[in-house]
Amino acid sequence: EPNRGNIFDTRYRLLATSVPYYEIRMDLRSNALSASVFNENMDALARNLSVLFRDKSAYQYKSELLNARRNGERYHLVKRRVTYEELKALKSFPIFELGRYKGGFIYVQDNRRILPHQSLASRTIGYLTKGSSGNVVGIEGAYDHYLRGVVGVRMMQKLSGNVWMPVHDKNEVEPRDGYDVITTLDINIQDVAHHALLKQLQRHDARHGTAILMEVESGEIRALVNLEKDDDGAYRELYNYAIGESSEPGSTFKLPVLMAALEDGVVDLYDTIDTGEGSVQFYDKVIRDTREEGYGKITLKEVFEVSSNVGVSKCIDAHYRGREKEFIDRLYSMDLNQKLGLEIKGEGTPDIKYPGDSLWSGISLPMMSHGYEIRMTPMQILAFYNAVANDGKLIRPKLVREIRSNGQLLKRIPTVVINPSITSMSTIRKAQEMLKGVVENGTAKNLRNDLYSIAGKTGTAQVAKQNTGYGRFSEIQYQASFVGYFPADHPKYSCIVVVNAPSKWVYYGNLVAGPVFKEISDRVYASQLDLHEPVNLADQNNTTFPFSKNGSLGDLVSIIDYFKLGPDPQVTGSDWVITESTDSAIMVSPLPVQDKLVPNVVGMGIKDAVFLLENSGLKVRARGWGTVRSQSVIPGTVVRPGMGIVLEMSLS
């Protein structure tokens, strides 16, 4: 078997690799293994095996090897899953040190796949299980044809008991090792997203959740987290909900719904809609707002900001009843009914039914308007919002950037544009304005901050059970979500967070999913300087000169020149100076340093202080850090051989 290729994150940090393990066998019928060598060294070999592996006594090892010798075993199993370090030790053991023929020592390499970051992105990284009916999961499965390499050829001899032993000959063909896969994931951001989601799932005792962070322009996924509560109550990556679970999205679907109406020109942002007292009835179905008294007459933009179910359903029903096919066709034109075509397997199929389908009814249109009677995955919802952030360009999300071999680029995975413009630019601009308004004025005001702007939409949907529907009262379960992008004016990243079945009666998207989005966006914003506004330099004439420690004149001159702080200080007769900062300059005076006398290092940094003191022959010990506050030996004291000095620093 070849060595399987490695999987790296976007900064070339290892996500999955193969570690060699060895199976240790012994040919006890080897003609070159004499009885005298075997009998004289058996006790020592058994003792060494027992000490190394600590799984059996020396007596047990000896008995097994003696029985195998008596039975004439050619391929006796000594130990499985031996590490490379253990293998090196085995090669020095009595009998084994004689090698394959004289000592009967056989080892066969078997590579084991490990994830250095353990559970982080483990479901996305994926795995393969052996056999024709095995599972093919995640990146490991999707890019197996690159990772697996080419199998070599070796002669094998079949022994009794259906055991195969390698026979080395000149006709062997060496395997070609697999290629490396460079993903788009950033393990640092993945770690932030993982723990932000985990904390919120635990807080709300939720069933499962997912979080995805995607780069707007390229569609590259920087983080993809899926956590589910197992039977022991712990959260683990057991299933890729981000791409595999199609569910009713709830209010996050109001964006494409209203964009369809805006694109068709049947309504505009500042048209007024009467939401009444918070409820409206279509046939036998009553649709309600979360605000019991309703919102009265508000604009379409405000309907979106406060997420009024009544306002959206009345608007869509008023303009598309009798024209249902036009409405659904408009949604289809935005590719909402199509899979994204992700490279990893298991993408759920979006379900947006069409008038005339068997399940279409009189309430389908108003129900679909606020995110029910349709099904989409979190990744599909995110891709749509990412298209709005990307000025209408719908990008296929991707998880792999490059294929490499020994560091050399073999293939670059291109960004695929699914739809260059899902709607007109006019509609895109109105959608962007609505999404900003949700955070500035609407249901996600708790995510607003002074450092950078966020645009997005909250979602709270009742979860339909397969047998009992949506349930009643205490049986009702919810799905909370928030999807959007940041910074709102110049989008760099889009993100979705979905939390399924929070069970502590806090289930709104802004309170359950929103904080996870905010924690991820905060950390990304803080760590990436290109997201920050450039600093406006203050007027140089009003600049207060920085504080400077006592120390090397040469270093001080270099800093003054580099930052253009003014003319170089003029000092004669000393390479060391005492400094004083004023509003207009850094003033200096000479600091005399004499051979065989203890120098004055008070006011210096530790580097300069240690340099001077050790060059004077003193043994230095410092307490704390910062600036030297005091020294235990008075300046000017004659230095004696072996003399020590203690520096007290300004900070402990």
Side-chain angles (χ1 to χ4, degrees), residues 579-625:
T579 67
E580 180 182 357
S581 296
T582 69
D583 288 343
S584 58
I586 298 176
M587 309 298 292
V588 299
S589 56
L591 175 65
V593 176
Q594 298 182 27
D595 191 29
K596 297 183 180 179
L597 297 181
V598 175
N600 182 5
V601 297
V602 173
M604 290 187 182
I606 189 67
K607 185 183 78 168
D608 284 344
V610 170
F611 176 84
L612 276 177
L613 295 169
E614 289 190 346
N615 277 352
S616 299
L618 293 159
K619 296 180 179 179
V620 183
R621 188 156 57 93
R623 295 174 179 162
W625 57 285

Side-chain angles (χ1 to χ4, degrees), residues 23 85 115-116 132 135 207 241 259 288 339 356 379 518 523 526 548 581 620 631:
E23 189 174 270
E85 293 300 319
L115 306 180
S132 58
N135 292 320
R207 180 183 298 155
Y241 289 98
M259 286 176 64
R288 292 184 170 86
K339 284 186 176 183
M379 185 70 81
K518 182 68 162 47
R523 292 291 293 273
S548 174
S581 296
V620 183
Q631 58 188 79

